[in-house]
């Protein structure tokens, strides 16, 4: 949860209702700064900048591009996702989190400015193709919900059009302020899932599996569409049965018709994340799987092991939810073929598959698919 | 600048048992030096410090040992006045480091010697004049921590059986794990890179399997040796090829750390061997079986060879071994 020990704020930020609300929800009074240097300096002084940065909030405006394309790689098939860059970093602490190694230093930033978001999103809403937009790439989408009006603002903004869907991806259960909004099915609330053992040992400060699934059921009861992400999947003794139980638990809470998509992807990481995990999570053995260097230079489980796991889950999805779009984030032709028997190999084929799922489940303009 | 005098002193008055300033290891081979001294005498006078009733060696242990060996009764030494211990320490290090590159163990001994008189920061600031190379204070402290490791470490460093890089990893380990690795490196010989690989893999296997390094070693090909350091046949370990043992141990770790990958590689090797390809045809499977592209390289000297190898390639398509390799 957002519970900073220091809060910094750009000195020239306007006192909008968004900012006033945010400040009213935070304990320490924001310290006004002219630029981010004092924040960086404070974080860099710490022995554990990665851990300390989770307790220092910096309220600012996004000075770069608010809308970005997800960085895929050429070899592994990417889903052409769009990122709405509304914040960085996270207050939870997952051993495998790439954000530990991504920012130098990591900074918990909140990018304020509804006017800026409106200006960036309006052209997207008038575009000639479907866009799937998420805020959960550089932060958890809903850690902000208890202190910020932003998630609600976005839900209502997306509700006014039928060309784009918003995906709020989280490991929290912070959805209460969103439930009664007029969302018009244009917001997908999505949860990253893992097995209870992995949540307990690798995801500090996140909600339990059952709490996440209960939240998903609550969202569905309010007409929201939901999605799930099995990413990262860890391979460990007994993992197949453990992940199958999670899949079964999903459909004990929600019906397949309410699920827009499910992604699956085994753990992969930039090599330098290993030493960070070893230093910050000395009891974790997740970097010690049977990894090889992938064609994108990330460490990946040896391919036959990945495929065997995917085949087990694929079979279960076919049985329990044949109509749900299940896809891989960053896998290649061999993995697709051996798991699902098809490969969305043509340019944008995977994007098309997901656009179709979004159009069907969320009521987007299907002529644009 | 230390004051010193050239003095002819009896060899018996030099205390070789005081090794406080010694930087070279006891294992240094000095046979050639001894025979040179027997024939030509000592060319560069050793440096000694006047002690209470004996002279303490600062630099030149092997020369003095050589002199004794050659039966010389007196030698000319450079003598420093009593009490000049800091100057003596500095001289012991600089004499060695400006005459040749210090070995890792010597670098450690030299650093620890100086740390008796000055802190790491001061050594770092003067490192180029003392060691003939830059050293930062963090590294100096690491060298001191390596020196504090249990006994065999300096011997292993002296004998080139462990690198400073590997020792740096041992420093942060608990005593039991460290002892396990020191025992391991006393039995094998491997390059610095392979030592690092061995440490990483062994540590990871132990973390995954929740076992100690000693237990892992026991279960390895090295574990078949008896407690007294002899192998199953009773032969001393020292007689076995330590390099070969290193390779064997690494292969054991690879198999245990990456069982599926190792098995797949072995199977692919066997399948390729079964194809009995001519020497001019080389088949490469995707690296680590991650990609999906196989490569066949063909070399030929003339048209006849080209045709023969092309025919051989065509035949491969019907071979089951080839199919099962490619359609994995
Ligand atoms: S919830 Fe997501 S963003 Fe937050 S620490 Fe975990 S992986 Fe990182």
């Amino acid at each position: 949860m957002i519970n900073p020990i220091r809060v910094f704020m750009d000195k020239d930020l306007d006192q909008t209702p968004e900012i006033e609300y945010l400040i009213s929800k935070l304990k320490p009074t924001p310290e006004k700064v002219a630029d981010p240097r004092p924040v960086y300096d404070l974080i860099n002084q710490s022995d554990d900048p990665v851990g300390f940065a989770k307790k220092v909030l910096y309220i600012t405006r996004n000075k770069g591009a608010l809308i970005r394309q997800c960085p895929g790689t050429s070899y592994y098939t990417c889903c052409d996702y769009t990122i709405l860059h509304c914040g960085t970093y996270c207050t939870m602490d997952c051993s495998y989190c790439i954000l530990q190694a991504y920012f130098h230093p990591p900074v918990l930033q909140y990018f304020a400015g509804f006017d800026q978001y409106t200006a960036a999103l309006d052209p997207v809403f008038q575009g000639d193709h479907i866009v799937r937009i998420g805020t959960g790439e550089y932060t958890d989408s809903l850690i902000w919900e208890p202190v910020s009006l932003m998630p609600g603002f976005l839900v209502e903004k997306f509700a006014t059009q039928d060309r784009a869907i918003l995906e709020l991806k989280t490991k929290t259960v912070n959805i209460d302020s969103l439930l009664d909004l007029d969302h018009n099915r244009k917001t997908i609330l999505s949860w990253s899932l893992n097995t209870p053992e992995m949540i307990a040992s690798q995801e500090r400060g996140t909600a339990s599996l059952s709490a996440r699934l209960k939240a998903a059921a609550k969202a569905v009861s309010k007409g929201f569409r939901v999605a799930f992400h099995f990413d990262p999947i860890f391979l460990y003794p007994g993992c197949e049965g453990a992940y199958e139980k999670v899949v079964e638990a999903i459909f004990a809470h929600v019906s397949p018709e309410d699920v827009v998509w499910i992604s699956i992807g085994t753990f992969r990481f930039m090599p330098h994340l290993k030493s960070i995990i070893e230093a910050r999570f000395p009891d974790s053995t997740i970097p010690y799987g049977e990894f090889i260097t992938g064609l994108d230079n990330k460490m990946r489980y040896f391919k036959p092991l990945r495929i065997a796991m995917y085949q087990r889950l694929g079979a279960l999805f076919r049985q329990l939810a044949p109509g749900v779009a299940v896809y891989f984030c960053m896998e290649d032709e061999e993995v697709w073929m051996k798991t699902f028997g098809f490969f969305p190999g043509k340019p944008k084929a995977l994007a098309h598959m997901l656009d179709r799922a979004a159009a069907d489940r969320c009521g987007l303009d299907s002529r644009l698919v | 600048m230390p004051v010193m005098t050239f003095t002819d002193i009896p060899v018996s008055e030099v205390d070789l048992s005081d090794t406080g300033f010694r930087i070279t290891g006891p294992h240094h081979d000095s046979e050639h030096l001894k025979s040179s001294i027997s024939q030509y005498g000592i060319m560069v006078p050793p440096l000694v410090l006047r002690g209470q009733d004996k002279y303490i060696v600062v630099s030149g242990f092997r020369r003095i040992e050589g002199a004794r060996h050659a039966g010389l009764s007196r030698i000319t030494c450079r003598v420093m006045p009593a009490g000049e211990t800091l100057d003596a320490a500095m001289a012991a290090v600089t004499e060695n480091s400006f005459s040749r590159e210090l070995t890792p163990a010597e670098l450690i001994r030299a650093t620890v010697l100086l740390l008796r008189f000055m802190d790491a920061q001061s050594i770092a600031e003067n490192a180029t004049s003392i060691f003939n190379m830059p050293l930062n204070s963090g590294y100096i402290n690491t060298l001191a921590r390596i020196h504090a490791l249990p006994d065999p470490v300096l011997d292993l460093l002296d004998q080139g059986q462990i690198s400073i890089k590997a020792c740096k990893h041992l420093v942060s380990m608990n005593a039991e794990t460290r002892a396990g690795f020191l025992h391991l490196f006393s039995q094998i010989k491997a390059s610095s890179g392979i030592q690092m690989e061995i440490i990483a893999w062994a540590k990871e296997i132990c973390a995954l399997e929740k076992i100690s390094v000693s237990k892992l070693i026991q279960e390895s090909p090295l574990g078949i040796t008896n407690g007294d350091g002899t192998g199953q046949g009773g032969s001393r370990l020292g007689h076995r090829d330590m390099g070969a043992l290193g390779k064997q141990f690494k292969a054991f770790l690879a198999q245990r750390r990456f069982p599926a990958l190792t098995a797949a590689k072995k199977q692919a090797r066997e399948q390729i061997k079964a194809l009995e390809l001519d020497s001019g045809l080389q088949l490469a499977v995707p690296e680590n079986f991650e990609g999906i592209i196989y490569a066949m390289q063909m070399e030929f000297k003339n048209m006849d060879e080209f045709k023969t190898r092309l025919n051989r390639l065509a035949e491969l398509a019907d071979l089951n071994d080839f199919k099962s390799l490619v359609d994995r």
Side-chain angles (χ1 to χ4, degrees):
Chain A
M1 299 309 102
I2 305 246
N3 199 5
I5 53 169
R6 299 274 294 268
V7 178
F8 293 87
M9 188 165 94
D10 275 350
K11 72 171 176 28
D12 45 10
L13 268 187
D14 296 336
Q15 286 293 312
T16 59
E18 177 195 12
I19 296 292
E20 277 164 10
Y21 183 86
L22 189 62
I23 293 173
S24 74
K25 295 282 177 183
L26 299 168
K27 274 241 177 70
T29 309
E31 301 165 47
K32 300 259 174 99
V33 288
D35 61 54
R37 260 171 299 174
V39 188
Y40 294 162
D41 290 347
L42 178 70
I43 291 168
N44 280 330
Q45 273 164 24
S46 163
D47 289 342
D48 172 23
V50 173
F52 184 67
K54 293 176 181 292
K55 293 182 250 166
V56 178
L57 174 62
Y58 176 38
I59 305 165
T60 181
R61 278 171 83 91
N62 186 336
K63 286 155 190 137
L66 203 52
I67 290 183
R68 302 175 177 191
Q69 283 309 302
C70 182
T73 52
S74 56
Y75 182 74
Y76 300 102
T77 305
C78 160
C79 69
D80 290 296
Y81 200 60
T82 301
I83 299 163
L84 184 63
H85 196 25
C86 63
T88 61
Y89 211 41
C90 186
T91 50
M92 294 176 281
D93 202 5
C94 302
S95 60
Y96 53 80
C97 181
I98 178 62
L99 302 181
Q100 298 175 100
Y102 197 83
F103 302 111
H104 301 283
V107 182
L108 184 66
Q109 293 181 101
Y110 175 86
F111 295 141
F114 290 169
D115 53 335
Q116 204 183 352
Y117 287 81
T118 299
L121 286 169
D122 282 350
V124 174
F125 295 161
Q126 280 142 30
D128 59 0
H129 61 284
I130 301 261
V131 182
R132 289 164 283 112
I133 301 184
T135 61
E137 192 70 15
Y138 300 114
T139 182
D140 180 283
S141 299
L142 291 177
I143 49 165
W144 307 100
E145 184 266 355
V147 298
S148 156
L149 297 172
M150 177 71 76
F153 164 77
L154 291 175
V155 170
E156 290 185 323
K157 181 117 196 92
F158 274 75
T160 59
Q161 52 77 53
D162 62 359
R163 291 172 184 211
I165 56 96
L166 169 70
E167 183 176 22
L168 298 176
K169 200 195 279 188
T170 190
K171 289 189 187 112
T172 73
V173 291
N174 301 339
I175 58 169
D176 287 352
S177 70
L178 309 179
L179 289 176
D180 293 323
L181 298 178
D182 176 12
H183 55 76
N184 191 23
R185 287 188 294 155
K186 299 304 178 292
T187 294
I188 301 170
L189 294 177
S190 82
W191 279 269
S192 298
L193 299 181
N194 226 306
T195 62
E197 304 91 293
M198 288 298 119
I199 290 175
S201 63
Q202 311 298 330
E203 299 182 351
R204 285 180 197 151
T206 64
S208 68
L209 174 65
S210 79
R212 291 181 214 181
L213 293 177
K214 276 186 195 141
K218 207 164 158 192
V220 164
S221 75
K222 294 288 186 173
F224 278 94
R225 295 296 185 247
V226 291
F228 299 99
H229 299 279
F230 283 85
D231 198 351
I233 289 172
F234 297 104
L235 303 188
Y236 59 93
C239 61
E240 299 87 348
Y243 281 102
E244 282 171 343
K245 277 198 187 129
V246 181
V247 174
E248 284 159 3
I250 292 177
F251 297 108
H253 284 80
V254 299
S255 122
E257 288 69 44
D258 296 312
V259 180
V260 189
W261 51 61
I262 294 174
S263 75
I264 51 180
T266 48
F267 181 39
R268 55 206 176 276
F269 58 98
M270 297 303 290
H272 65 283
L273 186 65
K274 184 177 178 182
S275 56
I276 297 177
I277 299 174
E278 287 176 326
R280 299 198 64 244
F281 297 82
D283 294 332
S284 176
T285 54
I286 59 160
Y288 306 153
E290 209 168 335
F291 295 109
I292 52 95
T293 305
L295 299 173
D296 53 358
N297 288 323
K298 285 187 185 167
M299 306 309 292
R300 294 170 165 261
Y301 288 112
F302 180 43
K303 202 181 215 178
L305 302 177
R306 308 205 300 269
I307 291 173
M309 181 73 203
Y310 292 147
Q311 285 174 335
R312 288 277 294 257
L313 292 182
L316 193 58
F317 284 125
R318 269 195 296 280
Q319 184 196 327
L320 298 180
V324 174
V326 181
Y327 70 99
F328 292 117
C329 179
M330 309 307 285
E331 282 292 4
D332 73 356
E333 180 178 352
E334 185 186 1
V335 173
W336 276 90
M337 289 304 296
K338 287 182 174 168
T339 308
F340 296 131
F342 75 96
F343 172 54
K346 290 202 195 104
K348 310 269 174 205
L350 175 56
H352 185 266
M353 176 180 136
L354 298 177
D355 289 349
R356 162 66 46 213
D360 291 350
R361 297 283 207 265
C362 304
L364 295 181
D365 186 345
S366 57
R367 290 168 308 176
L368 300 180
V369 177
Chain B
M1 202 59 169
V3 185
M4 54 180 90
T5 53
F6 283 82
T7 315
D8 201 28
I9 56 176
V11 176
S12 58
E13 285 184 18
V14 181
D15 183 2
L16 268 172
S17 69
D18 186 336
T19 54
F21 294 102
R22 184 162 190 155
I23 287 166
T24 46
H27 303 285
H28 226 288
D29 184 8
S30 51
E31 281 315 307
H32 292 177
L33 179 65
K34 284 176 184 168
S35 73
S36 164
I37 291 171
S38 301
Q39 272 184 271
Y40 306 112
I42 292 177
M43 296 297 157
V44 182
L47 179 62
V48 295
L49 178 70
R50 199 181 290 278
Q52 263 186 335
D53 43 26
K54 285 220 167 189
Y55 292 92
I56 300 161
V57 187
V58 174
S59 169
F61 279 87
R62 285 176 299 149
R63 276 167 281 167
I64 297 168
E65 279 161 8
R68 280 209 177 148
H69 182 82
L72 304 183
S73 58
R74 300 183 74 83
I75 47 172
T76 304
C77 289
R78 289 167 292 151
V79 179
M80 299 178 78
E84 299 287 337
T85 43
L86 167 61
D87 284 344
M90 203 69 89
V93 178
T94 47
E95 285 221 357
N96 280 290
S97 51
F98 279 87
S99 60
R100 64 190 164 78
E101 194 181 336
L102 298 183
T103 66
E106 288 170 346
L107 180 62
I108 290 171
R109 286 194 198 94
T111 306
V112 171
L113 171 59
L114 292 180
L115 280 170
R116 279 166 37 199
F117 306 99
M118 55 210 290
D119 63 17
Q121 192 53 41
S122 318
I123 298 176
E125 280 160 15
N126 300 295
T128 44
S129 338
I130 306 173
F131 286 95
N132 197 14
M133 63 175 168
L135 294 175
N136 65 43
S137 57
Y139 190 61
I140 290 167
N141 286 326
T142 302
L143 295 178
R145 281 197 288 273
I146 294 174
H147 188 265
L149 288 174
D151 254 353
V153 80
L154 285 183
D155 280 349
L156 294 177
L157 277 161
D158 269 327
Q159 288 159 33
Q161 278 176 259
I162 196 166
S163 64
I164 289 197
K165 215 168 160 195
C167 288
K168 269 167 85 173
H169 281 258
L170 301 197
V171 163
S172 57
M173 292 175 185
N174 64 42
E176 192 196 348
T177 310
R178 190 190 293 153
F181 277 116
L182 287 177
H183 172 62
L184 168 67
F185 288 115
S186 67
Q187 296 185 68
I188 63 169
K189 200 143 194 172
S191 69
S192 172
I194 291 183
Q195 288 171 25
M196 297 305 292
E197 223 160 23
I198 285 177
I199 291 176
W201 289 353
K203 233 178 64 187
E204 292 168 10
I205 293 167
C206 292
L208 283 168
E209 300 183 13
K210 297 188 175 38
I211 58 170
S212 66
V213 172
S214 326
K215 174 98 170 52
L216 181 67
I217 296 170
Q218 256 170 38
E219 293 170 8
S220 78
L222 297 179
I224 59 170
T225 56
N226 302 321
D228 62 355
T230 60
Q232 277 181 325
S235 58
R236 294 291 309 172
L237 257 184
H239 294 299
R240 298 167 69 180
D241 180 353
M242 293 170 100
L245 273 181
K247 280 195 189 122
Q248 240 179 304
F249 187 71
K250 190 194 160 200
F252 158 79
L253 289 183
Q255 199 279 330
R256 186 122 158 198
R257 176 71 183 78
F258 304 100
L261 178 63
T262 316
K265 282 185 172 168
K266 183 168 176 259
Q267 190 190 9
R269 268 197 309 275
E270 283 165 2
Q271 284 171 317
I272 292 174
K273 199 169 162 206
L275 298 178
E276 295 179 342
L277 296 175
D278 303 352
S279 57
L281 291 174
Q282 259 189 2
L283 173 61
V285 297
E287 194 176 353
N288 292 324
F289 308 95
E290 179 61 22
I292 48 179
I293 310 287
Y294 290 75
M296 181 73 84
Q297 183 180 317
M298 182 171 84
E299 287 174 358
F300 55 93
K301 290 197 286 287
N302 49 43
M303 276 315 283
D304 281 349
E305 211 168 67
F306 177 73
K307 281 182 194 159
T308 314
R309 289 189 176 149
L310 214 49
N311 286 338
R312 179 73 189 117
L313 281 181
E315 284 165 21
L316 282 183
D318 298 323
L319 286 182
N320 279 335
D321 275 331
F322 188 58
K323 275 188 202 150
S324 63
L325 178 66
V326 176
D327 297 337
R328 60 195 154 90

